[in-house]
């Protein structure tokens, strides 16, 4: 009998491959990874197949691993023995976590005990099996005395303490069962948080927590313990009723790994630990890191015709056809006066401007912005008087759209002009018209984001009809906002997401 298992795996990293190698090293099997699919073939009698599958149950879940299909087929195969050097990982896994709860200290499957260094007294030290319990006791005493512990890893230096109403950079539960005491967290989000990669993820505070605390934001970052020493600290504190630790990042070396779950799709926002090592090296060696990031993403689409939608909160936006032709000619003004002068050349727009100034105060300032839809959102937000700063105004507009419970917003003009340049003036005029008509800011905000999604859909559909594209590759930090992503997911079903993060 031949067992064939096909996994959907949204990354080219070797995490799952190594764990399979570790737990199935006594079996002969064939492994193939291609186009977000992992195919495993194993030949044996019924009892051998059952034993093989039982061993696979020991593998800690990866956030990149999605659904799988299992088939028994009657055919022979010749396994190909491949020698490979795997990337070492310092993960907390079921193996070392369960061992600790049983009174044993073990390395993880990669042979790593605790990679991070902790500063419990005067200096950072390496945690070993020999000093583990002594340092754990000291750390627990300090924490219970309302003192902070510091630790250092490849991402930076952090300080943490028992949660005491202060919110710094992220929270960590002493046990995942406590997450819903503070946050609204569904099973899919919990599954991602508990994945072997232990990402950061923004969750929404629940209604009770919001009522009892004065909060700047409704969302806050969460993370589950990702090394054995932190796990032991949380495990012991949980016995004494502690529910959360509060973390602050004191020094930044690299971005922490952060994801979002939008419409049950994993969106990698920050952190480059889980892309191919050669991609990471290439990106960070280049002066233009964003261009290098885009190049690495596109290299995965050699056999496809992707339309790259690079929408950023930091860089100029790009809509790339054939991996080299930028279809987006977006040139935003250097000041609001430039915008007013431009539209005043049209009599209808001039009347709109006059009528608008009778009801509302128009922004009057120079603009130092990128040529991006995020910057356009900032101009919209300032016209709607959401904020006097273009970046804050853009973020507030996106928050309104993200938090909207409405089925749809108003339709805002997103159009190319006769010169195939994006006509930002039509967008702003459309917003002003709806504002004058008494439409609420949140309805306009949702309409702005939705209308951008419609604009991208229409462009994609036109190119697809001409057989110039067959998928849309979503890239750039604007896609971390659910109001945009869920609309693009809905209207461009041929979309692709990369394991290369949105941010750089």
């Amino acid at each position: 009998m031949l067992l064939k298992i096909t996994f959907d795996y949204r990354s080219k990293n070797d995490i799952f491959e190594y764990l399979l190698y570790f737990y199935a090293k006594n079996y002969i099997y064939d492994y193939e990874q291609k186009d977000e699919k992992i195919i495993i073939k194993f030949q044996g009698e019924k009892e051998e197949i059952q034993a093989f599958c039982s061993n696979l149950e020991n593998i800690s879940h990866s956030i990149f691993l999605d659904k799988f299909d299992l088939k028994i087929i009657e055919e022979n195969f010749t396994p190909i023995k491949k020698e490979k050097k795997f990337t070492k990982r310092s993960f907390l896994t079921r193996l070392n976590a369960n061992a600790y709860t049983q009174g044993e200290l073990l390395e993880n499957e990669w042979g790593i005990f605790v990679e991070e260094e902790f500063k419990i007294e005067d200096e950072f030290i390496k945690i070993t099996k020999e000093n583990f319990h002594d340092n754990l006791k000291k750390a627990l005493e300090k924490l219970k005395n309302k003192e902070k512990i510091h630790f250092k890893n490849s991402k930076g230096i952090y300080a943490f303490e028992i949660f005491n109403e202060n919110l710094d950079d992220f929270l960590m539960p002493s046990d995942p069962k406590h997450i819903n005491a503070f946050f609204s967290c569904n099973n899919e989000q919990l599954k991602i948080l508990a994945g072997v990669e232990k990402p950061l993820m923004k969750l929404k505070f629940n209604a009770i927590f919001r009522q009892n605390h004065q909060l700047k934001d409704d969302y806050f970052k969460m993370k589950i313990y990702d090394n054995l020493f932190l796990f032991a600290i949380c495990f012991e504190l949980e016995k004494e009723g502690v529910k959360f630790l509060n973390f602050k990042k004191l020094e930044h070396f690299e971005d922490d790994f952060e994801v979002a779950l939008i419409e049950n799709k994993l969106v990698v926002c920050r952190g480059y630990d889980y892309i191919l090592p050669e991609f990471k090296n290439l990106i960070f060696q280049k002066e233009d890191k964003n261009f290098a990031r885009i190049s690495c993403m596109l290299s995965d689409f050699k056999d496809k015709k992707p339309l790259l939608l690079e929408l950023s909160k930091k860089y100029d936006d790009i809509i790339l056809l054939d991996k080299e032709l930028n279809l987006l000619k977006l040139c935003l003004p250097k000041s609001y006066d430039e915008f007013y002068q431009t539209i005043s050349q049209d009599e209808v727009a001039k009347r709109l401007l006059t009528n608008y100034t009778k009801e509302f105060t128009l922004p009057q300032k120079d603009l130092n912005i990128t040529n991006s839809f995020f910057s356009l959102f900032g101009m919209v937000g300032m016209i709607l008087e959401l904020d006097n700063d273009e970046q804050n105004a853009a973020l507030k507009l996106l928050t309104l759209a993200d938090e909207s419970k409405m089925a749809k917003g108003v339709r805002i003009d997103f159009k190319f002009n006769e010169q195939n340049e994006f006509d930002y003036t039509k967008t702003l005029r459309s917003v002003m018209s709806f504002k004058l008509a008494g439409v609420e800011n949140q309805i306009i905000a949702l309409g702005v984001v939705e209308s951008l999604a419609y604009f991208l859909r229409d462009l994609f559909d036109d190119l697809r009809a001409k057989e110039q594209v067959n998928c849309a590759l979503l890239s750039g930090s604007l896609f971390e906002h659910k109001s945009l992503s869920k609309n693009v997911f809905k209207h461009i079903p041929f979309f692709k997401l990369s394991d290369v993060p949105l941010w750089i």
Side-chain angles (χ1 to χ4, degrees), residues 75-89:
E75 65 178 61
N76 292 319
F77 82 103
T78 303
I80 302 171
K81 190 71 174 176
K82 302 173 185 175
E83 294 296 328
K84 181 172 179 177
K85 185 177 180 180
F86 292 98
T87 303
K88 289 270 189 179
R89 305 286 182 182

Side-chain angles (χ1 to χ4, degrees), residues 261-272:
L261 192 66
I262 302 175
E263 300 293 292
N264 284 332
K265 301 292 183 184
L266 179 72
V267 179
V268 180
C269 301
R270 296 177 185 267
Y272 283 76

Side-chain angles (χ1 to χ4, degrees), residues 482-499:
K482 65 180 181 181
S483 54
L484 176 62
S485 286
K486 73 177 184 180
N487 274 291
V488 172
F489 295 171
K490 178 181 178 181
H491 296 298
I492 307 180
F494 303 96
F495 72 89
K496 295 286 185 181
L497 290 163
S498 175
D499 63 340

Side-chain angles (χ1 to χ4, degrees), residues 393-410:
L395 292 172
K396 287 180 179 179
L397 180 128
L398 284 161
T399 298
L400 284 175
D402 287 344
E403 293 299 295
S404 175
K405 300 291 191 294
M406 291 171 288
K408 60 190 302 185
V410 291

